[in-house]
Amino acid sequence: MSYKIITAPAVEPLLLATVKTRLSISDTLDDPDINALIQAAREQAEEYMGRSIITQTLEIAFNCFPDDIELVRGPVQSITSVKYIDGDDTEQTVTATNYMIDDYGPKDWLRLDYGKSWPASRGHTNDVKIRYVTGWGDAGTDVPEDIRTAMLLLIGHWIRFQAEAESGVGPT
């Protein structure tokens, strides 16, 4: 299932100062590179886990409403909108009282509320669009410590073995 990032994270889960302290880096010469590595580590961790780390807005699309809708890259904080194109070629919004977030498993799902049914969409490419907010929170301190530690280890590895990796004679 594909998705679009509508609003990227406003911050990274690790601060430059934290990374430099943990890796015993005192100069400022490589600060832009370290900031890029922080972002790359977050993106790699998100891809590996299939989860969003810091608050961001995503959108998924379908041709029509499936029975159960997996909300990729949870944890889901909220649903922004559920929209669809009806048979008259008009965009409609599904009322929030018709659905709920099921977050009691390893994946988050958008499910119909009891006694409700999805409306009929036109059935054309990407006629159903679900926009939602996902991630552990707005600050790095909201992110579980094991994820932040893994990111620090990855950044440290990239910095420590950069020359070896570029020359092809070290760990990659």
Side-chain angles (χ1 to χ4, degrees):
M1 174 184 320
S2 60
Y3 62 90
K4 283 185 179 180
I5 298 174
I6 303 302
T7 306
V11 299
E12 293 297 339
L14 296 172
L15 298 172
L16 175 64
T18 303
V19 172
K20 289 175 67 171
T21 299
R22 292 285 296 269
L23 299 178
S24 300
I25 299 170
S26 57
D27 63 57
T28 60
L29 184 64
D30 294 323
D31 285 4
D33 292 335
I34 296 170
N35 277 323
L37 290 176
I38 292 169
Q39 180 180 344
R42 176 189 48 83
E43 290 171 352
Q44 187 165 345
E46 287 177 335
E47 190 64 32
Y48 177 78
M49 295 185 310
R51 314 277 287 167
S52 296
I53 294 176
I54 289 287
T55 298
Q56 51 196 281
T57 302
L58 304 180
E59 185 175 87
I60 54 176
F62 304 92
N63 296 349
C64 58
F65 284 99
D67 290 335
D68 291 316
I69 301 169
E70 179 185 347
L71 298 171
V72 297
R73 299 221 7 210
V76 174
Q77 296 176 18
S78 63
I79 304 294
T80 305
S81 65
V82 177
K83 297 185 177 200
Y84 68 100
I85 307 295
D86 68 13
D88 294 328
D89 203 28
T90 304
E91 184 178 76
Q92 303 288 339
T93 301
V94 178
T95 306
T97 56
N98 288 351
Y99 55 81
M100 58 182 273
I101 299 171
D102 178 0
D103 60 358
Y104 276 87
K107 298 179 180 182
D108 294 344
W109 297 85
L110 181 67
R111 303 210 194 265
L112 285 167
D113 209 351
Y114 181 76
K116 305 291 183 175
S117 60
W118 293 120
S121 69
R122 185 177 59 171
H124 196 262
T125 304
N126 300 327
D127 274 356
V128 174
K129 293 183 179 174
I130 300 156
R131 190 170 286 194
Y132 56 101
V133 178
T134 184
W136 272 280
D138 298 329
T141 54
D142 297 327
V143 178
E145 186 60 34
D146 60 335
I147 294 171
R148 294 174 6 145
T149 299
M151 289 177 58
L152 279 165
L153 289 169
L154 184 58
I155 293 165
H157 175 81
W158 286 339
I159 290 171
R160 170 83 166 84
F161 295 106
Q162 178 181 356
E164 291 89 344
E166 288 175 354
S167 69
V169 295
T172 56

